Structure formats: structure tokens, C-alpha cells
Amino acid sequence: MKRVAFLLLDGFALMSTASALEPLRAANLFSPTLRYDITLLSDTGRRATSSVGGVFETRPYRDAVPLYDLLFVVAGGDPARIHDPTLFAWLRQADRNGVALGGISGGAVVLAKAGLLENRRFTVHWHHYEDFDRLPGEWLLERRLFVIDRDRYTCAGGAAPLDMMHAIIARDHGTRFAQRISDWFIQTEVRGADAPQRRATARTYGAVPPPVEAALDLMESHVADPLSQDQIAALSGLSIRQLQRQFRAATGRSVMQEYRRIRLETGRELVTETRLPLTEIAHMTGFSSQAHFSDAFSALFGTPPSALRKRQGPD
């Protein structure tokens, strides 16, 4: 069982919150045991009020010791105006306790102001993009539906939490179980992490069998914390041999060859578009060391990342 908390900041969007909560509720409903223990917190007391007046019974976050497996900050309105040292300190304590942190809708703005998004890829609702232009620092903001970077889980709000929760539940309990939940909510098309900025899987690879598509979605959402081949096969609902056979027929490459290519493509974007140290980029793309990353990068792209960065020249 995983302990998941939602910190609802006043003015949060009801749709974003429901899109995040309902898949976890359904996961518990469809399971013989409790899969997710959910706690609702607020900064205002025993009740949190959404932007349309919907009310949730909550616990004050100040009374809660931040010892969850995953904690989401859900924020709407104008989160850039939030400056609460007590709240920021509590979130930093959660981070020190090993809690994975997430931001829904404008939640990433709050995490950033607390100093908890440095050297992390993340996303936020498009309405809040300009907030990061005004915040001091260098931000790895990606205009995507959701981003999972190691212990940070961020999404754009609206219906996007449905897709992020699908990725989380698929990782925890397999794609067949996650698909059952998506079907329950008439979510006939689960969008990948890069939607709508990236091309759909069908346009990138052509028509692929569902287990291959599931494996590709798992790879896209687990760049910084790579899954093993055994995990990908099990979560996709096939044996390793079956998945390898279908994968080669669909893509012309093995499962792990394609997984490494996806991770290195992300690395190339970070090399050319940021000034992050190569050691940090190696960790963000799931490599154990800069040397390992550089060797794999050179093998795929024909040049080491250090040489590619030099060719980009100064900003």
C-alpha cells in the first residue's frame, strides 16, 4: 500500500483534483486490498474550497507529519503570489524525509518557490508558464502533459492527472490493471507524457500491438529511473520473449535498445538546451555516471556530449 497525500491550496481546481483522486479510488475499488491510502490536507483548516465552491474535508497540513510516499500540491488561481515560509519549510521537510513530491496545475510553481524543482524536469499548466519567466533561477520547464523525473511528478491540471495517474498505476500494478481503470472512466485514449507536443505513438512507430505501445509509454514516463526489461515485460502483460518478438517486429530494435535511445534523445535535448553539468544530465536520464552516459551518447550520435555542447557555443 502507498500513502498518497494531496495538499489542496485554496482556489484549487475541482476538475484537476477529481482527475487525480478518482483513479486512485478506482484502484482501491478494483482490488481485494487497499492499494492507495489517501490523505487530503489544506492550508486553511478542516475544509478546503475549490474555485467553484466545492468543499473537501481536510486535515491542516501543519498538524500532519510529512511521511507519505507521494505528496501532491494542487494549486490554481495565482500560486506565484504564495509566499508562506511555514508551508515551504514543511514541503522541504517532506523532501528530506524521502517523500516524492508532485505538482498539479499550478502546484509546480509552489514547489519551485520552495526550492524543490532545481535540476528537475517538470511541467505546469500553460497559464503559469510566464510565472517561471519571472521566478529567479534556471528552470527545466517542459511544455508537456505530465513529467515524471525521479521523485518529482508534475502535470498540467485539467484532465491531465488522469493520464499521469494511469502511468503511475501502470508502473505500480501493470498496464492491464491501469487500463481497466481507464475504461471505467471512459478514457478511451490514454495520452502519453509528451502529449500534445510529441507525435502520437502510432505516427512515430506506425500501428503497433497494444503491449508494445504500453512498453513505449512506460519508457517515456521513466527516463530518469529506468525500468528493467523484466519490469517492462511484466507491466506490459507479456513474457520477455513475447515482448521482444513483438517489439522487434514493430520497431526493428530490441526493447532495451529503444529504451536507451529514448533516454539519450532526452539527454541530447538537455545538452543542447540547458547549461546543466553533464554529470547531472547523466543522472536525469538514468545513467550511473557521466562516463557511462558519454559512451552511450557517442555510440548513438557519433559525437560525445561535451563536443556537441561546445559546438552550440555560448548563449
Side-chain angles (χ1 to χ4, degrees):
M1 180 185 68
K2 289 195 172 181
R3 298 162 299 169
V4 183
F6 292 83
L7 175 55
L8 308 178
L9 300 182
D10 216 29
F12 63 92
L14 184 60
M15 182 175 182
S16 299
T17 307
S19 295
L21 286 171
E22 285 293 330
L24 301 182
R25 180 189 67 83
N28 290 335
L29 180 66
F30 296 156
S31 303
T33 58
L34 190 70
R35 298 292 180 97
Y36 299 99
D37 181 39
I38 301 168
T39 300
L40 299 182
L41 305 168
S42 71
D43 62 338
T44 54
R46 300 292 176 183
R47 294 159 65 89
T49 304
S50 75
S51 57
V52 295
V55 175
F56 287 87
E57 298 295 325
T58 62
R59 295 174 55 195
Y61 80 85
R62 295 174 180 82
D63 296 343
V65 178
L67 290 173
Y68 307 100
D69 295 299
L70 179 55
L71 167 66
F72 287 104
V73 177
V74 188
D78 188 2
R81 288 189 177 182
I82 295 174
H83 184 70
D84 184 342
T86 302
L87 171 62
F88 296 162
W90 188 83
L91 290 171
R92 288 192 289 268
Q93 182 60 57
D95 181 54
R96 289 193 294 273
N97 290 347
V99 178
L101 299 173
I104 294 174
S105 192
V109 178
V110 179
L111 293 178
K113 294 194 70 173
L116 294 166
L117 284 182
E118 295 178 2
N119 295 337
R120 291 293 195 279
R121 297 163 51 237
F122 68 93
T123 195
V124 71
H125 190 284
W126 59 264
H127 182 71
H128 302 295
Y129 286 167
E130 292 184 358
D131 289 339
F132 286 92
D133 294 334
R134 293 186 287 267
L135 285 175
E138 294 188 10
W139 305 108
L140 301 178
L141 171 61
E142 300 187 356
R143 288 161 168 76
R144 301 186 180 191
L145 199 65
F146 67 90
V147 174
I148 300 174
D149 184 354
R150 292 163 287 180
D151 54 356
R152 297 293 183 268
Y153 298 73
T154 53
C155 74
L162 278 173
D163 303 285
M164 181 171 67
M165 290 303 173
H166 177 91
I168 291 171
I169 294 169
R171 176 202 61 196
D172 291 345
H173 305 295
T175 55
R176 289 181 180 174
F177 183 76
Q179 188 59 57
R180 185 181 177 194
I181 293 169
S182 297
D183 289 345
W184 180 257
F185 294 111
I186 325 297
Q187 190 183 10
T188 55
E189 181 180 352
V190 178
R191 298 168 293 177
D194 292 345
Q197 283 76 17
R198 74 173 172 90
R199 294 175 294 169
T201 299
R203 292 179 58 190
T204 304
Y205 297 94
V208 297
V212 174
E213 184 172 1
L216 289 166
D217 286 342
L218 288 165
M219 293 173 188
E220 292 280 2
S221 59
H222 291 273
V223 171
D225 54 338
L227 302 169
S228 69
Q229 184 172 253
D230 289 354
Q231 288 175 307
I232 294 172
L235 293 171
S236 301
L238 295 178
S239 69
I240 293 176
R241 179 175 294 183
Q242 289 172 323
L243 182 60
Q244 285 286 18
R245 184 170 63 250
Q246 291 192 23
F247 212 90
R248 283 192 180 277
T251 70
R253 289 178 289 271
S254 72
V255 171
M256 301 313 284
Q257 282 175 333
E258 183 61 11
Y259 200 178
R260 175 168 288 200
R261 188 195 67 77
I262 289 170
R263 290 161 51 210
L264 288 169
E265 288 283 0
T266 300
R268 182 164 64 173
E269 291 179 11
L270 293 170
V271 168
T272 59
E273 297 177 11
T274 77
R275 290 179 290 178
L276 283 171
L278 295 181
T279 299
E280 185 66 27
I281 293 175
H283 292 154
M284 294 176 74
T285 50
F287 290 90
S288 58
S289 67
Q290 180 182 332
H292 186 198
F293 170 69
S294 295
D295 289 345
F297 193 99
S298 299
L300 181 62
F301 300 121
T303 186
S306 56
L308 179 60
R309 174 161 282 178
K310 286 179 181 177
R311 289 207 297 268
Q312 299 302 308
D315 291 344

